[in-house]
Amino acid sequence: MAESKLFLKENPTMADFQQYVKEMKAERGFRVEPIYECCLLAEEVGELISAVRKNTKGGSIGSGSVAGNVKLELADVLIYLCSIANIHGISLEEAFREKEEINKQRTWKRL
Ligand SMILES: [Mg+2]
């Protein structure tokens, strides 16, 4: 197996994460298709939810099952968010800023 050339610098920007994911997909020869990536994101969100549930006080884990790692599942979700953004040529930083400006104009009430 060839040594990886992947490197994520210290204090990466969102763009650095997106670039890393782009290079990672290429280096590993992963298939990158819009719908397929969305399916994988959904899988990883499910794993994150499961990990949170299994690590919540008062939660339960069936025999043969293990507690998930919330930290690692968050990283998986971030990888697929970056990948989907890359496919669509979207800057996640720009998207975040734009959406938050919209959200700031909204009013929020507790039910
Ligand atoms: Mg996972």
Side-chain angles (χ1 to χ4, degrees), residues 44 47 73 76:
E44 295 301 345
E47 290 175 10
E73 297 307 343
D76 282 340

Side-chain angles (χ1 to χ4, degrees), residues 1-3 8 10-11 25-26 28 30 33 42 48 50 52 59 66 73 85 88 93 96:
M1 192 167 105
E3 192 173 315
L8 183 64
E10 287 293 313
N11 302 312
K25 294 278 185 177
R28 295 178 190 163
F30 287 162
E33 291 173 28
L48 173 61
S50 177
V52 169
V66 294
E73 297 307 343
H88 294 277
E93 180 188 349
F96 184 94

Side-chain angles (χ1 to χ4, degrees), residues 3-101:
E3 192 173 315
S4 175
K5 293 182 172 45
L6 296 170
F7 175 75
L8 183 64
K9 70 180 186 181
E10 287 293 313
N11 302 312
T13 63
M14 206 64 234
D16 293 327
F17 280 107
Q18 288 189 237
Q19 183 62 33
Y20 181 96
V21 168
K22 183 179 178 184
E23 292 168 10
M24 177 267 283
K25 294 278 185 177
E27 182 177 286
R28 295 178 190 163
F30 287 162
R31 177 178 159 195
V32 180
E33 291 173 28
I35 296 300
Y36 187 69
E37 294 297 283
C38 288
C39 291
L40 292 173
L41 172 63
E43 272 187 33
E44 295 301 345
V45 169
E47 290 175 10
L48 173 61
I49 293 166
S50 177
V52 169
R53 182 181 61 77
K54 290 177 178 176
N55 283 283
T56 299
K57 191 169 186 204
S60 59
I61 304 173
S63 58
S65 185
V66 294
N69 186 321
V70 174
K71 184 175 167 183
L72 297 182
E73 297 307 343
L74 282 168
D76 282 340
V77 169
L78 178 59
I79 287 169
Y80 286 105
L81 283 178
C82 287
S83 181
I84 293 167
N86 288 345
I87 289 170
H88 294 277
I90 291 168
S91 156
L92 278 175
E93 180 188 349
E94 268 183 45
F96 184 94
R97 291 183 188 283
E98 188 177 319
K99 188 59 167 74
E100 265 304 285
E101 286 310 309

